[in-house]
Amino acid sequence: MSNSSRDGAEGAGWGSAEPGSYRALMPRHPGKVSWLNPGTLWAARNGVLASWFGDPTGRTRSRWVAQRAAAGAPADKVIRREDPDRFSFLVVGDTGEGGDSQYAVVPGLLKAGGDTRFAVLASDVIYPVGSADDYGPKFFRPYRDYPAPVYAIPGNHDWYEDLGAFMRVFCDDAPPLPPEPAPRPFTAAWLRSLLWHRPRPDDGARLDEARELRPAPAQRAVQPGPYWAVDAGPVRIVGIDTGLLGTVDAEQGAWLREVSAGDRPKILVTGSPLYVDGEHHPCAIEGGGTVDAVVRDPAHHYVAAIGGDIHNYQRYPVDVGGGRTVQYVVAGGGGAFMHATHTIPRVSVAGVTEDDFRSYPLRGDSLAFYSALYGRRLRLRRLFTLTEAEATAVIAERLGIRTGRAPGDGARVTRRTRIVAGLLGTARRPERRKRFRLPVRKMYTSVFSPGSATYRPPFFKCFLRLDVTPESVRLRCYAATGNRAQEEDPPVEDEVTIPLVRPASG
């Protein structure tokens, strides 16, 4: 097994590493998603409209579910597979940008996961707005050589065109929903309808051609709707759809409680992580309660909750009482631009501390990556660019933590490194935060993420492999940097064995 980023800078992909082979898999002229492009932001406006004028996602989702039920989908939305008691599957989150950072994941994924029984895409299958004609270069082509079926749960970007393309691809070529009556004039719903982004009339004209890239019957997954459960071997995998705004409607919430009942060990996959960036987001259910309350209920026997949406890897082992630990995982590093980890404050949430917390990329690598990127953008390389050793050292100082990789000999924290770290939103120790300090971290991660600039290694992408036995699940986070060394022998950045046997009551 090759060295990981915790073992040294070379394992993180720094230095004069040999480029990987992933570019040979890409289209000749790949499209590039830029989140600094006003046209992209305007096309992706439905999330903002839903927050201003009311969220129609629950109603639309209910109509999709009713349509699939009428077409013969199982009423309980459970996919019953014939897997052995010992099997493996993949989880990959936020994949569909279609550029270098997505394709860089593919060689390592096939190397470390080519023998798995199926894969699950956790959130945002297609960027920027889930268009059907984007499925060719952003789904069928990159995973053409993955031999097993791929299930998916939609993210907010898949909902920006009311989920029509997602339903066609994953739900037995579901036809479009019939139009609803127009809302009453001069209401919030009417104004929302006027501004709502909808797919082009000819969207999907190339979809049948794209399907030929994954033509084998063994590669095809048919799921009963945007949320579902998979019974595989000794476990049940429950996938929920959190829509545009990261919430669950009442109908789906009732289903979630019903499908979670029973002693069978369960793993939740969700578009919105429940613990992320050192904070708890329990995910509200319309009408009362939260998704996390369902996960924590000992009668439901959840052992892990894996969420996409945030484009990196994080893991929080939370003691939920009764001798149970639930592994809360962020797994959104499957292809989109990298969300920074250096902006995550020193972790202290639900009893989880820095000693328990794991992330990829390491905070120092995240800071070094962003410093180089903005040094190029601003033409201030000499001022902005930090070496990985300098970045690691200033992270250790600002957060007061033992970093995942030591800074190395000669790494100095200077006035320049402190200024650069502050400008790039690096978190600080709680006792050193100032009440009047601008919300740099939130502004930086929301506005200045480098969607149009992640075209060269190291990319700091990742995917999960879960190996299931009747006794346990071994979860491993594999890195994908875009360099050949990590393609040929994908390094394991984190690993945990999760028991499936309930603790004895005492």
Side-chain angles (χ1 to χ4, degrees), residues 269-359:
V269 182
T270 168
S272 299
L274 304 180
Y275 282 87
V276 60
D277 294 346
E279 299 174 347
H280 183 208
H281 297 272
C283 189
I285 297 174
E286 180 186 358
T290 68
V291 170
D292 196 31
V294 175
V295 170
R296 288 168 174 261
D297 188 331
H300 296 157
H301 198 181
Y302 277 92
V303 298
I306 303 170
D309 190 51
I310 303 301
H311 307 165
N312 53 46
Y313 172 81
Q314 301 172 45
R315 180 169 64 84
Y316 302 81
V318 177
D319 182 346
V320 295
R324 295 172 57 228
T325 296
V326 175
Q327 300 290 339
Y328 291 88
V329 176
V330 178
F337 67 87
M338 183 190 82
H339 275 137
T341 58
H342 65 266
T343 58
I344 301 173
R346 189 170 64 184
V347 170
S348 179
V349 60
V352 179
T353 68
E354 281 291 331
D355 291 337
D356 312 306
F357 171 69
R358 294 291 182 271
S359 71

Side-chain angles (χ1 to χ4, degrees), residues 179-459:
E180 288 196 292
R184 287 170 35 210
F186 308 110
T187 62
W190 174 79
L191 185 55
R192 182 186 67 215
S193 179
L194 287 180
L195 299 173
W196 200 251
H197 171 81
R198 293 177 176 83
R200 304 186 321 271
D202 63 341
D203 187 44
R206 299 189 296 273
L207 189 54
D208 287 340
E209 178 185 347
R211 292 184 205 271
E212 292 303 310
L213 295 168
R214 282 178 52 87
Q219 291 178 303
R220 190 169 183 231
V222 176
Q223 57 192 59
Y227 57 91
W228 42 260
V230 171
D231 281 351
V235 300
R236 171 169 285 185
I237 302 154
V238 179
I240 62 170
D241 168 20
T242 55
L244 283 171
L245 301 181
T247 59
V248 170
D249 63 279
E251 180 180 314
Q252 184 181 184
W255 170 85
L256 175 63
R257 293 183 177 101
E258 182 177 333
V259 83
S260 298
D263 198 51
R264 187 173 192 154
K266 298 173 188 71
I267 297 168
L268 182 74
V269 182
T270 168
S272 299
L274 304 180
Y275 282 87
V276 60
D277 294 346
E279 299 174 347
H280 183 208
H281 297 272
C283 189
I285 297 174
E286 180 186 358
T290 68
V291 170
D292 196 31
V294 175
V295 170
R296 288 168 174 261
D297 188 331
H300 296 157
H301 198 181
Y302 277 92
V303 298
I306 303 170
D309 190 51
I310 303 301
H311 307 165
N312 53 46
Y313 172 81
Q314 301 172 45
R315 180 169 64 84
Y316 302 81
V318 177
D319 182 346
V320 295
R324 295 172 57 228
T325 296
V326 175
Q327 300 290 339
Y328 291 88
V329 176
V330 178
F337 67 87
M338 183 190 82
H339 275 137
T341 58
H342 65 266
T343 58
I344 301 173
R346 189 170 64 184
V347 170
S348 179
V349 60
V352 179
T353 68
E354 281 291 331
D355 291 337
D356 312 306
F357 171 69
R358 294 291 182 271
S359 71
Y360 179 77
L362 298 176
R363 289 182 177 98
D365 290 328
S366 171
L367 178 58
F369 173 92
Y370 274 75
S371 72
L373 186 137
Y374 281 98
R376 293 193 301 270
R377 276 189 172 178
L378 301 174
R379 301 181 185 274
L380 294 171
R381 298 190 187 201
R382 289 176 62 87
L383 171 64
F384 255 79
T385 303
L386 305 180
T387 67
E388 53 83 21
E390 290 173 327
T392 301
V394 76
I395 288 286
E397 179 189 84
R398 286 177 71 93
L399 288 179
I401 63 172
R402 184 175 65 252
T403 53
R405 182 176 73 243
D409 297 335
R412 295 174 55 240
V413 178
T414 64
R415 181 177 177 82
R416 179 183 73 90
T417 59
R418 292 187 182 104
I419 290 173
V420 171
L423 288 173
L424 294 182
T426 307
R428 301 189 67 164
R429 281 179 272 182
E431 63 270 19
R432 296 182 62 184
R433 295 178 196 158
K434 296 180 180 179
R435 186 170 295 179
F436 59 85
R437 184 168 176 254
L438 290 172
V440 174
R441 182 169 71 92
K442 185 173 180 61
M443 177 178 68
Y444 175 78
T445 56
S446 300
V447 179
F448 296 111
S449 293
S452 60
T454 48
Y455 301 132
R456 64 182 71 179
F459 293 114

